Amino acid sequence: MSRFFHGSDSSSESSEEEEELYSGDEEEEKSEEESEEESDEDEGEDEEEESESDEEGVKGGASRFMKDVSDEESTDEEDKGTVVKSAKDKRLEELEGTVRLIENAEKINDWAVISSEYDKLNRQIPKLIVDGKVPKLYIKTIADLETIMAETIEKQKVTPKKMNAINTRGLNAIRQKLRRNNKDYEKDITTYREDKETFMREEVIEEAAPAPKKPKRTALDAGEAIGADDNGFTMVGAGGKALQYTPESILKHLRTIVESRGRKNTDRLEQIRIMERLLDVAATDYQKIRVLLTLISTRFDLTSGTGSQMSQEQWKLAEHEMSILLATLEENPEMLVLEGAEEWEDDDKQPQVKQGEKLKIPGSIVSFAERLDDELTRSLQHIDPHTAEYIERLTDEGALYTSIVRSLLYAEKLKRDPEIPSSQDGINRIVMRRLEHVYFKPSQVVTILEDNTWKTIPANLDSEVTPRGQGTDVTDLVQTLCAYLFKNSEGILRARSMLCQVYFLALHDHYYHARDMMLMSHLQDTIGNFDVNTQILYNRTLVQVGLCAFRAGLVYEAQHSLQEICGSGRQKELLAQGMQIQRYSQVTPEQERLEKQRQLPFHMHINLELLECVYLTCSMLLEIPLLAQTGSSPDIKKRVISKTYRRMLEYHERQIFTGPPENTRDHVMQASKALAAGEWRKAADFINAIKIWDLMAQAPKIKAMLSEQIQEEGLRTYLFTYAPFYDTLAITTLASMFDLAERRVAAVVSKMISHEELAAALDQVNSAIIFRKGVELSRLQSLALTLSDKASGLIESNERTLEQRTQGMANAFERQGAQRGGRGGQRGGRQQGRSGAQGGGRRGQGFTGGALGGAIKA
């Protein structure tokens, strides 16, 4: 039979069942809000409710709808006895239960339980705070707990019996938590301790007072919904009233948004939507400027954390709004945005400006441009450079460069006005940003970038620092920007501008100019005092100068420049092109985060494989002749040019089997082995087979230069190795062996003779080399020379150590007065008597420190 067909009492029964269902749903929702641990009374009530529900569950099926009069009477009595509690009352009961557990644990001195229940207590409090008032039971509990904790700590100091480890940890945890937590309630705790009864009596009075009823919200009128959007929705404030955005209320809304910045639980996206609406209804340029300044700042606030990045959509909106702001300021020269301007206090009316005066608005255009630059760099750091997304994101650099140039034009305009107290620092910062976008790019790319930028800027605007049209000569542009910073800045900006110019010159193969500027700057002596980013720029410049020297065929200069960076084995870290974890180093998360922030975007990287190839090739061309020279002449002091290359060469020589070369290192090592054996053609083939040379400009020219260098160094190696076995050697023979012109062979041999690397004479009449035979040393004599060299080196190191310890005091080992007569003290007198006249000469001579003392005196 259907449940809807009942007798005369069916309506009352159905209403009672609906009330039970609704009350059950409400109780379930409230029970989900309560914590997992409940008091004993709540558990008892739950068990009773479960037993009742089980009894009701037994009556299933049709018997559920077939009720007699006795059942109805019993249900009526049960309904009268049931008390429905509000969520607030249940939370208060739960709070009281937690307090009782804390008090019981205090009696048995169980601080582990107190610590856990105290945490639970603090989790319950936020739901019980009404109008900023904290329940006084909570104040009483934490005040008493602090007192008992202090007493327990004092007892522990004088009691021989100590707590167990668990209780001690709980006590220490409670002490730290109370110290932090009670600072927020110091006033209430002081009031409670002054008069506890009055404090708690007020709590009772407050609880007895009825809570005021909230006014009912009324529906929106048709007139209020005029400001609705396309979908028919409108912004509703407190009380159900629609928010009206009018030109008169714009400044008030902005003031509210500015005051809420930095607060927790602030919906910044909602604020951005409000300001976009305000921008649409702005009636005057002043209102538009004020809204744009606040809107751009709020967009930047979306990524206030160091680990987050600004989305591309928000960045483009901020860049577009900044271009609107600059255009508005250019159209209204009487309105100026300055960093030190005073804030307009009156939000009811717009400030009135007299004729000839200028309205100063607080803000910073330069800071906006810098923040746009930083956010784009941070975004490029987080994108995989081998995807199309990186290329797409990199296209935004053109718009950013335009904003930087327009910001520079505005800063120059402020500087030209003598009535405006604008600082030089803003122009210097924006010029440095422009230079940092130019210095590492080829001239062709910079020319295109400058042309596109000046096409976007209105024709009536021009720059005094870099006039329109100067971008066609990129070298002149970089020189102008750097010269401006040399003249008007100091410290870090001046050093960075000089490094940027040296980098640009080295990139465009002006080696001698770049080298002279690098040496004249003396930055190599003071670079350790600068910040990390400037040190990274110095490393990049040093590497670029080395690559420029290599392209010019200056092998020794290239190896010398690259030695400091490539010889350390930390190229990635020093050039900020990746993280390089050392084997035994311990990097904290904070250091790792800072290191990731310093990483350069991929399009600014220097190819590390090319860098290593250049460094190893230069080291090979210098080290192989040196090894041949020291091997044939044992009396020559051994020296090492590149320890990194020597280690690789020794490892390669220890290999039993060496297959064909697979990477750059293998090619260089096998070329080194062939060059040492006199097979210069084979060595040249190995070097020219490296594919990385194709990445350099004018690759055929580079390979031809390398082949010529290998021929000359092969000649030097041959002469060093086989000179002891020759009396004379014809230059024509050497020219045919190494495929060199006779004039070139004669020049190389003459240079070796003049540097005293080769004991020979050049017979120009017969075109021959006459070798001079020195004294041939035996094996024992060679070992004796080696021993003497090592002994002299040991003495020098000992003397340096002694000078450091004594701080250069020459008389450190002399005894004042020398009254004892020598080393033996009083025995020195007896020794003098025995030695007669000889001892007289030694009278008054103290201990001088032996050979080391004599060395110090000298």
Side-chain angles (χ1 to χ4, degrees):
M1 183 176 179
S2 174
R3 57 176 282 190
F4 301 102
F5 295 93
H6 285 283
S8 60
D9 297 331
S10 62
S11 61
S12 63
E13 290 173 1
S14 62
S15 63
E16 289 174 359
E17 289 174 1
E18 290 175 357
E19 290 176 359
E20 290 177 359
L21 289 171
Y22 292 145
S23 63
D25 294 338
E26 292 177 357
E27 289 175 1
E28 288 177 2
E29 293 176 359
K30 293 173 183 176
S31 64
E32 290 176 357
E33 296 176 355
E34 296 175 0
S35 62
E36 295 179 359
E37 299 179 2
E38 294 183 357
S39 62
D40 297 333
E41 295 180 2
D42 293 339
E43 291 177 356
E45 291 177 2
D46 292 337
E47 291 174 0
E48 292 176 2
E49 291 175 2
E50 288 175 3
S51 62
E52 290 174 4
S53 62
D54 292 342
E55 292 176 359
E56 291 177 1
V58 173
K59 298 179 181 180
S63 61
R64 175 183 177 185
F65 304 101
M66 300 173 66
K67 297 183 179 180
D68 52 11
V69 179
S70 61
D71 292 337
E72 294 177 2
E73 292 177 354
S74 62
T75 56
D76 292 340
E77 292 175 357
E78 289 174 0
D79 291 341
K80 291 178 182 178
T82 303
V83 178
V84 179
K85 296 180 181 179
S86 64
K88 180 180 178 181
D89 293 338
K90 287 190 175 183
R91 294 190 186 110
L92 285 173
E93 286 183 1
E94 187 177 355
L95 179 68
E96 292 171 357
T98 307
V99 171
R100 279 197 299 271
L101 291 175
I102 291 176
E103 292 174 351
N104 293 336
E106 288 173 354
K107 294 176 183 177
I108 60 175
N109 206 25
D110 190 351
W111 289 97
V113 174
I114 293 174
S115 178
S116 61
E117 293 298 325
Y118 178 77
D119 294 337
K120 179 182 175 184
L121 185 71
N122 285 332
R123 290 195 298 269
Q124 296 168 351
I125 282 301
K127 297 179 181 179
L128 293 169
I129 295 177
V130 180
D131 297 332
K133 294 182 179 180
V134 183
K136 298 193 175 181
L137 179 61
Y138 175 73
I139 301 297
K140 171 182 178 298
T141 303
I142 61 175
D144 295 343
L145 185 58
E146 187 176 12
T147 305
I148 294 172
M149 180 201 69
E151 294 174 356
T152 305
I153 293 174
E154 292 297 329
K155 288 179 183 179
Q156 285 296 312
K157 291 180 180 179
V158 298
T159 305
K161 185 179 179 182
K162 303 296 181 182
M163 290 184 182
N164 57 23
I166 299 177
N167 260 354
T168 304
R169 284 197 297 269
L171 179 61
N172 293 334
I174 280 291
R175 180 168 60 179
Q176 295 175 0
K177 293 171 186 174
L178 285 176
R179 187 181 302 164
R180 292 193 302 266
N181 185 62
N182 288 11
K183 290 180 181 178
D184 300 333
Y185 309 105
E186 284 183 0
K187 186 177 179 181
D188 293 335
I189 292 173
T190 305
T191 307
Y192 166 74
R193 287 176 175 167
E194 288 175 355
D195 192 353
K196 299 182 179 179
E197 295 181 358
T198 306
F199 186 84
M200 299 307 295
R201 194 181 303 119
E202 291 176 358
E203 174 70 16
V204 174
I205 294 172
E206 288 177 4
E207 287 180 357
K213 294 183 180 180
K214 295 182 179 179
K216 294 183 179 180
R217 296 183 178 180
T218 58
L220 292 175
D221 297 334
E224 292 179 341
I226 294 176
D229 56 9
D230 298 338
N231 297 325
F233 295 100
T234 186
M235 190 72 67
V236 179
K241 294 183 179 180
L243 294 177
Q244 297 291 334
Y245 299 122
T246 60
E248 293 77 14
S249 64
I250 285 179
L251 299 180
K252 288 185 179 180
H253 288 299
L254 284 180
R255 176 76 63 182
T256 305
I257 292 173
V258 170
E259 289 176 352
S260 65
R261 285 184 66 184
R263 295 180 183 176
K264 292 183 178 179
N265 302 325
T266 302
D267 191 355
R268 295 190 179 92
L269 290 175
E270 183 62 32
Q271 291 180 347
I272 288 173
R273 284 193 288 270
I274 292 174
M275 282 186 284
E276 288 174 347
R277 296 283 301 277
L278 294 176
L279 185 62
D280 294 337
V281 300
T284 62
D285 290 331
Y286 173 77
Q287 293 176 348
K288 185 181 294 186
I289 292 171
R290 286 287 304 273
V291 173
L292 285 171
L293 288 172
T294 312
L295 179 56
I296 296 171
S297 300
T298 309
R299 289 197 192 277
F300 289 141
D301 287 345
L302 291 173
T303 56
S304 56
T306 56
S308 58
Q309 55 174 332
M310 196 173 186
S311 64
Q312 185 176 5
E313 179 186 2
Q314 292 293 334
W315 189 92
K316 287 187 174 182
L317 289 172
E319 189 275 329
H320 177 65
E321 287 155 2
M322 185 173 175
S323 62
I324 296 175
L325 174 62
L326 288 170
T328 307
L329 290 173
E330 291 162 0
E331 295 171 359
N332 298 273
E334 71 279 0
M335 296 183 185
L336 305 174
V337 176
L338 299 174
E339 293 186 10
E342 295 182 0
E343 184 75 26
W344 181 256
E345 299 295 338
D346 193 0
D347 295 335
D348 295 330
K349 60 181 180 179
Q350 180 176 333
Q352 300 297 326
V353 184
K354 297 180 181 179
Q355 186 70 24
E357 293 185 357
K358 295 185 178 179
L359 179 59
K360 299 176 182 177
I361 306 171
S364 177
I365 301 297
V366 175
S367 298
F368 285 161
E370 289 179 329
R371 189 64 189 273
L372 278 174
D373 190 8
D374 294 338
E375 291 296 339
L376 180 62
T377 302
R378 191 181 302 177
S379 176
L380 291 172
Q381 287 174 348
H382 289 80
I383 298 175
D384 184 4
H386 304 291
T387 59
E389 182 185 2
Y390 188 90
I391 304 299
E392 179 186 358
R393 194 76 177 94
L394 195 58
T395 56
D396 295 333
E397 189 180 9
L400 172 63
Y401 189 76
T402 303
S403 299
I404 290 174
V405 175
R406 293 188 72 173
S407 302
L408 174 60
L409 298 180
Y410 187 75
E412 289 180 18
K413 172 190 171 186
L414 297 180
K415 187 66 177 176
R416 286 194 298 267
D417 196 336
E419 300 177 359
I420 301 173
S422 60
S423 63
Q424 182 67 37
D425 181 61
I427 302 181
N428 293 342
R429 282 157 47 200
I430 201 68
V431 168
M432 190 68 232
R433 292 282 178 166
R434 184 178 178 184
L435 182 60
E436 288 177 347
H437 279 271
V438 167
Y439 80 96
F440 65 93
K441 293 187 174 83
S443 299
Q444 300 85 349
V445 178
V446 179
T447 302
I448 296 172
L449 186 64
E450 284 284 327
D451 291 343
N452 294 336
T453 298
W454 286 106
K455 288 177 183 176
T456 309
I457 298 175
N460 60 338
L461 297 177
D462 203 354
S463 172
E464 292 182 354
V465 180
T466 56
R468 186 187 293 266
Q470 192 178 11
T472 54
D473 188 358
V474 182
T475 305
D476 190 20
L477 172 66
V478 174
Q479 172 65 28
T480 303
L481 294 175
C482 294
Y484 185 85
L485 290 174
F486 295 160
K487 181 180 178 182
N488 298 287
S489 66
E490 58 185 12
I492 292 179
L493 286 182
R494 178 179 292 180
R496 290 184 67 86
S497 62
M498 184 169 291
L499 289 172
C500 288
Q501 186 172 6
V502 173
Y503 189 103
F504 181 82
L505 291 171
L507 183 66
H508 293 82
D509 294 331
H510 301 291
Y511 170 72
Y512 292 104
H513 192 183
R515 181 202 63 182
D516 294 342
M517 283 196 65
M518 193 75 172
L519 294 176
M520 287 189 297
S521 67
H522 296 286
L523 285 173
Q524 59 271 19
D525 301 327
T526 59
I527 192 62
N529 301 327
F530 289 93
D531 62 319
V532 179
N533 291 325
T534 306
Q535 293 180 19
I536 291 171
L537 179 58
Y538 174 81
N539 295 338
R540 286 166 51 82
T541 305
L542 198 62
V543 165
Q544 197 61 246
V545 170
L547 292 176
C548 179
F550 177 76
R551 291 193 296 269
L554 306 172
V555 175
Y556 176 79
E557 288 81 357
Q559 201 277 340
H560 184 69
S561 298
L562 300 177
Q563 172 67 35
E564 186 176 354
I565 304 300
C566 300
S568 63
R570 300 166 53 224
Q571 296 94 317
K572 279 187 178 180
E573 185 179 351
L574 293 175
L575 298 175
Q577 296 183 188
M579 300 285 291
Q580 198 162 357
I581 305 299
Q582 301 295 328
R583 180 178 298 177
Y584 300 107
S585 64
Q586 294 181 352
V587 181
T588 62
E590 181 68 17
Q591 291 174 339
E592 186 176 357
R593 182 180 62 81
L594 292 175
E595 192 68 27
K596 287 182 179 179
Q597 288 179 3
R598 298 190 195 107
Q599 301 303 302
L600 295 172
F602 183 76
H603 67 281
M604 297 178 65
H605 284 192
I606 298 172
N607 194 316
L608 293 178
E609 187 178 356
L610 176 63
L611 186 63
E612 183 186 27
C613 183
V614 170
Y615 173 70
L616 292 179
T617 304
C618 293
S619 300
M620 176 194 75
L621 295 174
L622 296 176
E623 283 280 6
I624 295 300
L626 182 62
L627 287 172
Q629 183 182 11
T630 54
S632 61
S633 303
D635 55 336
I636 296 178
K637 185 178 179 180
K638 293 184 179 180
R639 61 189 180 96
V640 178
I641 295 177
S642 172
K643 292 183 179 179
T644 307
Y645 174 80
R646 285 282 183 97
R647 282 198 300 268
M648 292 182 185
L649 190 60
E650 290 172 2
Y651 176 77
H652 185 267
E653 289 176 349
R654 286 199 302 267
Q655 300 297 316
I656 300 173
F657 173 75
T658 54
E662 298 178 355
N663 52 26
T664 303
R665 245 177 234 184
D666 293 345
H667 279 86
V668 176
M669 291 301 111
Q670 294 205 15
S672 304
K673 196 172 179 181
L675 185 61
E679 301 176 355
W680 67 270
R681 285 190 175 86
K682 189 175 180 182
D685 291 340
F686 277 126
I687 293 296
N688 291 331
I690 300 175
K691 296 180 180 179
I692 199 71
W693 302 125
D694 297 333
L695 297 180
M696 299 185 76
Q698 299 178 352
K701 183 179 176 182
I702 297 293
K703 292 180 180 180
M705 181 269 295
L706 286 173
S707 299
E708 185 179 349
Q709 292 282 348
I710 290 172
Q711 286 174 304
E712 294 183 6
E713 298 304 326
L715 172 61
R716 285 163 49 84
T717 305
Y718 183 83
L719 290 175
F720 283 137
T721 305
Y722 297 106
F725 304 99
Y726 281 103
D727 290 330
T728 59
L729 182 60
I731 290 179
T732 54
T733 305
L734 292 175
S736 61
M737 287 175 61
F738 293 96
D739 198 12
L740 287 171
E742 294 185 7
R743 289 177 59 86
R744 188 61 188 163
V745 173
V748 171
V749 173
S750 300
K751 189 176 181 181
M752 294 174 66
I753 294 173
S754 65
H755 290 172
E756 297 182 356
E757 296 175 344
L758 189 64
L762 187 61
D763 186 359
Q764 295 183 349
V765 176
N766 298 320
S767 297
I769 306 170
I770 303 172
F771 295 94
R772 292 197 301 266
K773 295 294 182 180
V775 179
E776 295 186 2
L777 302 177
S778 64
R779 177 67 175 168
L780 179 60
Q781 290 171 335
S782 300
L783 292 176
L785 286 173
T786 304
L787 178 61
S788 65
D789 290 340
K790 290 185 177 180
S792 62
L794 182 61
I795 290 174
E796 290 176 1
S797 63
N798 285 343
E799 289 175 354
R800 284 195 298 269
T801 306
L802 186 63
E803 287 181 2
Q804 292 175 358
R805 296 248 178 127
T806 59
Q807 297 181 354
M809 295 173 61
N811 299 324
F813 289 95
E814 289 188 3
R815 296 182 179 177
Q816 298 295 331
Q819 296 176 0
R820 289 180 160 183
R823 299 190 185 187
Q826 295 179 357
R827 289 183 295 173
R830 292 194 292 268
Q831 187 177 1
Q832 178 186 2
R834 296 192 198 103
S835 59
Q838 294 180 359
R842 292 163 57 187
R843 179 183 295 272
Q845 184 178 1
F847 174 52
T848 60
L852 294 180
I856 293 175
K857 286 182 178 181

